[in-house]
């Protein structure tokens, strides 16, 4: 190809370009076969050589369809090297403007810059490519410093490093901490004078001030330390250090704090600046920074008594800190130095009102003011309102609207309401006008994986094989989430799934299941497979099981009306769809259920009679639950006989016994988005769903997994009794490793409390047992408790913790001098705050023995604070 192109004139090259475009379009139909992969590099080079416009060449070189089979940069530079220098510069800068995801080779861009002699681009893609090129060129020998020293554009590209977003993570990965690191090399080049020192220091500090991800900033902080600023350079940037100590991530703030501390102790930081900095740092949540600031203030006050008038009001800002230990440290500083200043006692006394009750009297005595007599306050809890279920909107009236909703649902997922509306809409419009629906859906299905011509090539199916790969995939991999369920219906409408596959899957059932989730997934899948089969053979007019409410609940009057419409139309109900409707219909309102049962019986159909019996039977009692424990606590649940009668085989397993540790723990149900749909299977029996998700929820605390607790708010919003399994699910979520899981558990706790479904004694005892067996760490639980308290639910949280703490304190009382669990002091601190704010009174078992322990540890101090709060006569 090189030889052919070298022998062609410009006019001949231009005339060949239309054929190259046609070939490119042809190759797009099968980009991964051997012929295409062999043709693409030559096509990539020829297309660039046969164009004259810089924009067209840049677009061709960076095209996504040729990204994986490109011509080498050396060949491309050979073909383009005889062009005008301004033209080459234009191409170079256009390629550099492409996003990094375009994967334009750095060698190509750098070669064009070299040939054209143009200014070096400093775009994101070029700078990142330069970093990887220099850092990954170890095979050429020499150190990073040596390779950088030889770069003609060193100053411009290093300056661009500080302006490139999120470059720190890449720089840190390439840099490391060894002698041949980027940070060490840049510091060395700065010391040699190859890089301007003032520019480097200012750029580094400015990058830290700009902020960003902690991992991104750590590299620039490492570089700043490697530059080893002099005391004069540090003094010049006092305002920058104050800003970093106030707002930067903790690692950067800690460095700024240490610099300011050194300046302050040497007398180079005016008290006014130290007070300003202290006000910001003491407001931060990181206890390490706050404590270090109080230590610094103490040293300055001890060195120079004249600073007390400016610094003690700053110290008093810590009186409002959430940590009582910080409050006490600040009060000790005030007690020690209050006599060194005049005219600030009223200001300090006003700030002392933020102290916990046990410290207020001490502050009053120190400041020589009378302790304010608190008026008796009757505490009244105001919980966040519980979310109300929303009624499902009618299905889309037109096929165009339905296609838009279906496309959005496939692209980004959705909740139960969106899925059920789309599902019912597909069924209704298929029954009305299949051809119109297919026409409206054509843009949606055009790019689905099962409608791609390349799928068959990728699956490597021979022409003689009669089974479609789409059928095989759906059959063997199952419907892993709701989007796959919609894909099944769409593929069925488009004729991509064999009727025999639909029939066999709709009728397939086995009494065994390989994991605890299988009954839930099989019931969810069974309805979709049967609906897909009926779409192919006998379309349904609409679904009986579409819920009335967003939780999955179906009003009995709605189901009776739908059965009446089926009777008038002469339609035959789907067994799985009707079974799902029965499980969703509301039976908790007995008056409405009995009235609906009479109307259902009057229909004179078998389904009407079955619905009448179901509505009049009332909600079943939950079977006996029994706990089992190993490295975690799970629940065994007995059989539910009601779900074994008059239901299709696919639904009967929902009522089979559950054995927590006997089930397979690891399975194919990895997609967490489907769990909200499992809850909608049994919207009035959430305990039956929770017991099958309990092992997943335990993993967020025991195995430090992420994301499984996201379903907890929906679990709390669902209906039915909240029993052993539901409370254990919430308990594990409160002890989760990741903050987002803990937050979801706090939301669930508050929803249960607001709906009157929370059993504080059960949840508190569960938490105590989980901490005792090591499944939940006290420090994580304390974080969840602190988040709950921040919502104002002090009484609710105290009702939980007063059943948790005795379990944990009992171990200390019986074990004597045993080392307490890490975080127990933090948990006691939250409990003390709840008791103080809610006015809780009474004895807490084993608290007195803990408070009587020797020493002044956090555990002992908070135990004494809690004990003091519980015996006070007046609520704080």
């Amino acid at each position: 190809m090189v030889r052919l192109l070298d022998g062609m004139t410009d006019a001949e090259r231009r005339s060949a370009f239309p054929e190259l475009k046609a070939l490119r379009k042809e190759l797009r139909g099968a980009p991964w076969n051997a012929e295409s992969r062999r043709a693409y590099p030559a096509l990539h080079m020829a297309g660039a050589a046969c164009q004259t416009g810089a924009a067209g060449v840049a677009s061709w070189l960076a095209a996504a369809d040729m990204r994986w089979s490109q011509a080498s940069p050396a060949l491309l530079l050979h073909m383009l090297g005889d062009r005008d220098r301004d033209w080459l510069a234009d191409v170079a800068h256009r390629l550099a403007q492409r996003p990094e995801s375009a994967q334009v080779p750095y060698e190509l861009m750098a070669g064009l810059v070299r040939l054209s002699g143009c200014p070096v681009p400093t775009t994101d893609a070029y700078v990142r490519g330069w970093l990887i090129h220099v850092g990954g060129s170890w095979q050429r020998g020499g150190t990073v410093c040596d390779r950088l020293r030889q770069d003609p554009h060193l100053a411009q590209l290093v300056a661009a490093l500080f302006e490139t977003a999120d470059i720190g993570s890449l720089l840190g990965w390439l840099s490391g901490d060894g002698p041949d690191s980027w940070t060490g090399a840049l510091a060395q080049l700065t010391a040699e004078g190859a890089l301007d020192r003032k520019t480097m220091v200012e750029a580094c500090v400015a990058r830290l001030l700009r902020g960003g991800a902690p991992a991104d900033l750590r590299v620039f902080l490492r570089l700043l330390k490697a530059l080893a600023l002099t005391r004069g350079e540090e003094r010049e940037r006092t305002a920058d250090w104050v800003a970093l100590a106030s707002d930067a991530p903790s690692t950067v703030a800690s460095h700024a704090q240490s610099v300011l501390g050194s300046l302050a102790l040497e007398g180079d930081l005016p008290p006014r600046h130290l007070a300003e900095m202290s006000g910001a740092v003491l407001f931060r949540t990181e206890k390490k920074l706050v404590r270090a600031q109080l230590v610094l203030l103490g040293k300055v006050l001890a060195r120079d008594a004249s600073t007390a008038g400016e610094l003690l009001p700053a110290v008093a800002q810590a009186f409002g800190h959430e940590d009582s230990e910080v409050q006490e440290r600040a009060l000790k500083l005030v007690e020690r130095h209050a006599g060194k200043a005049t005219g600030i006692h009223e200001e300090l006394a006003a700030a002392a009102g933020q102290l916990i009750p046990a410290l207020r009297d001490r502050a009053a005595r120190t400041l020589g003011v009378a302790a304010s007599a608190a008026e008796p306050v009757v505490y009244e809890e105001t919980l966040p309102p519980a979310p109300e279920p929303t009624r499902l909107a009618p299905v889309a009236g037109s096929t165009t609207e339905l296609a838009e909703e279906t496309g959005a649902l496939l692209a980004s997922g959705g909740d139960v309401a969106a899925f059920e509306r789309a599902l019912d809409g597909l069924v209704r419009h298929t029954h009305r006008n299949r051809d119109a629906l297919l026409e409206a859906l054509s843009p949606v299905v055009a790019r689905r994986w099962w409608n791609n011509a390349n799928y068959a090539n990728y699956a490597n199916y021979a022409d003689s094989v009669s089974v479609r790969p789409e059928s095989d995939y759906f059959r063997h991999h199952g419907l892993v989430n709701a989007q796959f369920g919609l894909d099944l219906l769409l593929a069925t409408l488009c004729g991509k799934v064999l009727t025999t596959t639909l029939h066999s899957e709709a009728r397939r059932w086995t009494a065994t299941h390989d994991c605890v989730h299988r009954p839930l997934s099989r019931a969810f899948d069974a309805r979709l497979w049967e609906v897909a089969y009926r779409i192919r053979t006998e379309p349904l007019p609409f679904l009986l099981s579409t819920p009335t409410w967003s939780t999955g609940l179906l009003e009995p009057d709605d189901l009776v009306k739908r059965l009446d419409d089926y009777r008038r139309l002469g339609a035959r109900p789907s067994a799985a769809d009707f079974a799902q409707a029965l499980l969703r219909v509301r039976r908790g309102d007995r008056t409405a259920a009995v009235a609906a049962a009479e109307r259902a019986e009057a229909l004179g159909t078998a389904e009407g009679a079955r619905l009448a019996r179901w509505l009049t039977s009332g909600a079943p009692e939950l079977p006996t639950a029994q706990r089992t424990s190993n490295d975690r606590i799970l629940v065994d649940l007995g059989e539910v006989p009601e779900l074994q009668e008059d239901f299709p085989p696919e639904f009967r397993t929902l009522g089979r016994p559950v054995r927590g540790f006997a089930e397979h723990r690891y399975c194919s149900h990895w997609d967490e988005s489907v769990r909200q749909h499992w809850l909608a299977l049994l919207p009035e029996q959430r305990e039956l769903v929770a017991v099958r998700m309990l092992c997943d929820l335990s993993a967020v605390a025991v195995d430090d997994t992420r994301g499984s607790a996201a379903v907890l708010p929906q679990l709390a919003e669902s209906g039915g009794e909240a029993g052993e399994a539901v409370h254990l699910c919430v308990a594990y979520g409160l002890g989760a490793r990741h903050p987002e899981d803990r937050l979801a558990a706090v939301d669930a706790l508050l929803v249960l409390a607001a709906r009157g479904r929370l059993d504080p004694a059960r949840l508190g005892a569960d938490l105590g047992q989980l901490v005792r067996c090591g499944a939940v760490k006290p420090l994580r639980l304390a974080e969840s408790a602190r988040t709950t308290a921040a919502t104002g639910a002090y009484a609710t949280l105290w009702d939980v913790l007063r059943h948790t703490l005795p379990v944990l304190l009992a171990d200390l009382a019986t074990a004597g001098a045993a080392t307490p669990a890490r975080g127990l002091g933090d948990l006691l601190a939250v409990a003390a705050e709840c008791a103080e704010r809610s006015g809780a009174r009474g004895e807490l078992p084993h608290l007195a023995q803990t408070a009587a322990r020797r020493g002044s540890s956090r555990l002992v101090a908070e135990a004494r604070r809690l004990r003091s709060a519980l015996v006070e006569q007046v609520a704080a």
Side-chain angles (χ1 to χ4, degrees):
M1 180 61 71
V2 172
R3 187 168 59 253
L4 287 172
L5 290 169
D6 283 343
M8 296 171 66
T9 65
D10 289 344
E12 289 172 335
R13 290 185 183 183
R14 285 194 297 270
S15 66
F17 184 66
E19 293 184 60
L20 296 175
K21 288 178 63 178
L23 176 59
R24 178 183 174 187
K25 184 176 180 181
E26 179 184 340
L27 293 180
R28 283 179 184 150
W32 300 109
N33 63 29
E35 291 183 359
S36 297
R37 290 197 299 271
R38 188 168 60 251
Y40 263 128
L43 177 62
H44 188 237
M45 180 177 60
C50 293
Q51 297 186 72
T52 57
V57 171
S59 178
W60 185 277
L61 290 173
D65 56 335
M66 291 186 281
R67 187 172 300 162
W68 304 108
S69 299
Q70 298 184 0
S72 70
L75 284 177
L76 291 171
L77 292 172
H78 168 76
M79 296 306 308
L80 302 176
D82 58 350
R83 304 285 183 99
D84 180 74
R85 295 182 64 173
D86 291 338
W87 185 91
L88 292 173
D90 192 5
V91 174
H93 280 268
R94 287 178 182 275
L95 290 175
Q97 290 290 343
R98 295 276 173 167
E100 184 193 9
S101 58
Q103 299 180 8
V104 178
Y106 167 78
E107 292 80 2
L108 175 60
M109 294 186 289
L112 291 171
V113 169
R114 185 182 66 255
L115 290 173
S116 66
C118 67
V120 64
T122 55
T123 61
D124 184 89
Y126 195 93
V127 172
R128 290 176 183 272
W130 174 68
L131 274 179
I132 296 172
H133 176 75
V134 174
S137 299
W138 54 269
Q139 67 271 21
R140 299 208 310 259
T143 64
V144 171
C145 189
D146 294 334
R147 294 192 288 273
L148 287 174
R149 194 179 286 113
Q150 299 167 7
D151 195 309
H153 306 294
L154 175 64
Q156 299 93 314
L157 291 173
V158 168
L161 279 179
F162 298 99
E163 303 298 329
T164 305
D166 302 323
I167 196 68
S169 55
L170 176 61
L171 185 58
W173 175 70
L174 292 169
S175 173
D177 296 319
D180 189 27
S181 66
W182 268 85
T183 52
L186 292 175
Q188 176 65 28
L189 292 171
T190 303
E192 294 174 1
L195 295 171
D196 181 68
R197 179 175 179 82
K198 184 177 180 180
T199 302
M200 287 292 292
V201 172
E202 288 181 351
C204 206
V205 173
R207 185 65 183 82
L208 295 175
L209 284 168
R210 195 180 312 143
D216 195 47
L217 297 181
R218 270 196 292 269
V219 177
F220 294 103
L221 178 60
R222 194 186 310 154
L223 175 58
L224 183 65
K225 292 179 179 179
L227 291 173
L229 272 64
T230 64
R231 184 63 71 202
E233 290 173 326
E234 291 176 341
R235 193 184 305 112
E236 291 173 359
R237 294 168 176 80
T238 298
D240 293 334
W241 305 128
V242 172
L244 290 173
S246 303
D247 300 318
S250 58
T251 52
V252 179
S254 178
H255 176 73
Q257 184 185 46
S258 66
V259 172
L260 290 169
S262 299
L263 292 173
L265 293 175
E266 293 178 6
D268 291 332
L269 184 68
R272 176 173 56 84
H273 288 167
L274 179 57
E276 176 190 351
M277 167 229 185
S278 299
V281 174
L282 293 176
F283 189 71
R284 295 184 65 119
T285 57
E286 299 94 337
K287 296 176 186 177
K288 183 178 179 181
L289 292 176
V290 173
R291 291 167 183 164
Q293 192 65 24
L294 290 175
V295 170
L296 172 61
L297 288 168
K299 290 180 179 179
V300 175
L301 285 166
R303 185 182 62 84
D304 186 357
S306 65
T307 61
E310 289 187 272
L311 296 186
L312 284 182
V315 172
Q317 294 186 48
F319 288 172
H321 198 276
E322 63 180 13
D323 188 345
S324 62
E325 183 183 3
V326 170
Q327 293 185 15
E328 187 170 13
R329 285 173 180 251
L331 180 57
K332 286 180 179 179
L333 277 179
V334 172
E335 289 173 338
R336 190 176 303 126
H337 301 285
K340 300 177 182 178
T342 58
I344 61 171
H345 284 58
E346 290 186 6
E347 182 180 355
L348 297 178
Q354 304 175 77
L355 292 167
I356 61 175
L359 298 178
R360 288 179 198 162
D361 290 341
R362 278 177 53 184
R365 290 193 299 270
T366 298
L367 300 172
V369 297
S372 58
E375 293 294 330
V377 177
V378 177
Y379 176 79
E380 184 176 351
E381 182 114 313
T382 303
L383 293 169
E388 294 292 334
T390 57
R391 183 180 285 272
L392 262 67
V395 299
S398 68
T399 55
T400 302
E401 184 182 355
L402 175 62
E404 291 175 354
E405 293 181 1
T406 303
L409 193 59
L410 289 170
S412 59
D415 56 12
V416 170
F419 171 73
E420 293 290 343
R421 285 185 69 247
L423 189 64
D424 192 31
L426 290 173
V427 170
R428 288 175 183 267
H429 285 284
T430 299
H431 185 266
R432 294 173 190 170
N433 191 335
R434 180 193 295 262
D435 293 337
L437 177 60
L438 284 172
E439 182 179 355
L441 287 171
S442 57
V444 177
V445 304
R447 296 194 176 187
R448 301 308 296 170
W449 60 268
W450 44 263
N451 200 33
N452 192 333
N454 297 325
Y455 182 83
N457 295 330
Y458 178 76
N460 198 24
Y461 276 81
D463 294 338
S464 60
V465 178
S466 59
V467 178
R468 300 167 185 254
E470 296 80 5
S471 300
D472 186 70
Y473 187 92
F474 281 121
R475 183 171 67 251
H476 287 96
H477 294 268
L479 309 180
V480 296
N481 55 32
Q483 286 97 321
F484 265 70
L486 288 179
D487 268 322
L488 173 63
L489 265 64
L490 294 175
T492 300
L493 278 168
C494 296
K496 294 291 184 177
V497 185
L498 297 174
T499 304
T500 53
T501 300
L502 295 171
H503 183 268
S504 62
E505 286 299 308
R507 298 291 179 266
R508 185 164 68 101
W509 176 79
T510 175
T512 61
H513 48 273
D514 56 2
C515 72
V516 71
H517 311 106
R518 182 64 67 186
L520 298 170
S521 67
R522 187 58 188 142
F524 177 74
D525 293 356
R527 179 176 65 133
L528 294 172
W529 279 108
E530 189 162 327
V531 168
Y533 177 67
R534 291 292 297 270
I535 283 177
R536 176 66 55 78
T537 59
E538 185 184 356
L540 297 166
F542 50 82
L543 292 179
L544 295 172
S545 58
T546 302
T548 307
W549 301 98
S550 55
T551 58
L553 201 61
L554 173 59
E555 292 295 341
D557 287 343
D558 291 345
L559 182 53
V560 172
K561 183 180 182 306
R562 293 171 189 173
L563 286 175
D564 188 27
D565 291 341
Y566 262 64
R567 179 184 60 81
R568 289 188 296 100
L569 294 171
R572 180 173 63 88
S574 158
D577 183 39
F578 181 58
Q580 177 63 90
L582 290 178
L583 294 177
R584 284 179 170 171
V585 72
R586 185 197 296 272
R587 294 192 290 172
D589 185 345
R590 298 308 305 149
T591 303
V594 171
E598 294 177 359
R599 294 193 294 275
E601 188 72 46
L603 294 176
T605 63
E607 289 77 19
R610 176 72 179 95
L611 175 59
R613 293 196 304 273
W614 181 256
L615 289 173
T616 54
S617 64
E621 293 186 3
L622 285 176
T624 303
Q626 183 176 355
R627 295 186 172 212
T628 56
S629 60
N630 192 343
D631 60 337
R632 66 198 77 200
I633 297 175
L634 300 179
V635 172
D636 290 348
L637 201 64
E639 189 174 49
V640 184
E642 183 186 46
L643 296 180
Q644 307 297 307
E645 303 169 358
D646 296 333
F647 276 97
E650 299 89 349
F651 288 81
R652 292 175 191 167
T653 53
L654 291 171
R656 295 288 173 83
V658 179
R659 299 290 179 263
F661 285 103
E663 309 283 356
H664 290 267
R665 182 172 297 181
Y666 303 104
C667 63
S668 60
H669 301 102
W670 47 267
D671 195 310
E672 293 156 2
S673 66
V674 77
R675 290 172 185 160
Q676 60 179 326
H677 299 280
W678 290 349
L679 282 168
L681 288 172
L682 297 160
E684 281 195 322
Q685 300 184 67
R686 59 179 157 196
E687 189 75 5
L688 297 182
V689 182
V691 74
R692 297 187 182 279
M693 297 193 298
L694 182 55
C695 188
D696 301 320
L697 268 298
S698 71
V700 300
V702 180
D703 303 322
D704 294 347
T705 60
R706 184 194 295 266
S708 294
V711 75
L712 285 176
Q714 290 98 325
L715 179 63
E717 294 169 24
S718 192
E721 180 181 342
E724 293 270 0
V726 170
H727 281 79
L728 271 175
C729 284
V730 175
Y732 279 118
L734 292 172
R737 161 69 177 82
H738 299 285
E740 61 269 27
D741 288 321
R742 294 197 298 269
L743 185 59
V746 169
D747 288 342
L749 186 156
L750 294 173
V751 169
L752 288 173
R755 299 182 64 194
R757 297 289 188 173
L758 180 68
D759 185 341
R762 171 179 282 171
L763 179 59
D766 287 345
L767 288 169
Q769 293 300 325
L770 292 176
V771 172
R772 172 181 278 178
C773 75
V776 166
K777 294 177 172 59
L779 193 59
R780 297 176 184 175
L781 177 57
E783 289 295 329
S784 295
R786 192 172 293 113
T787 303
T788 307
T791 67
Y794 298 108
T796 298
L797 184 57
W798 169 249
D799 281 344
V800 173
L801 294 180
R802 71 188 181 92
H803 294 93
T804 302
L805 291 172
V807 180
L808 308 181
L809 297 178
D811 294 337
L812 288 179
T814 56
T819 303
R822 180 171 176 262
L824 183 53
D826 297 84
L827 194 59
L828 280 168
V830 180
E833 181 184 6
C834 291
E836 290 165 355
R837 291 181 177 271
S838 65
R841 300 292 175 266
E843 290 291 328
L844 192 70
H846 310 293
L847 178 62
Q849 295 93 314
T850 305
R853 289 165 69 102
R854 295 179 179 178
S856 58
S857 65
R858 179 80 189 278
L859 172 70
V860 174
E862 296 299 344
R864 291 169 183 168
R865 174 189 171 191
L866 176 57
R867 187 183 180 196
S868 175
L870 292 176
V871 300
E872 285 288 338
Q873 295 301 312
V874 181

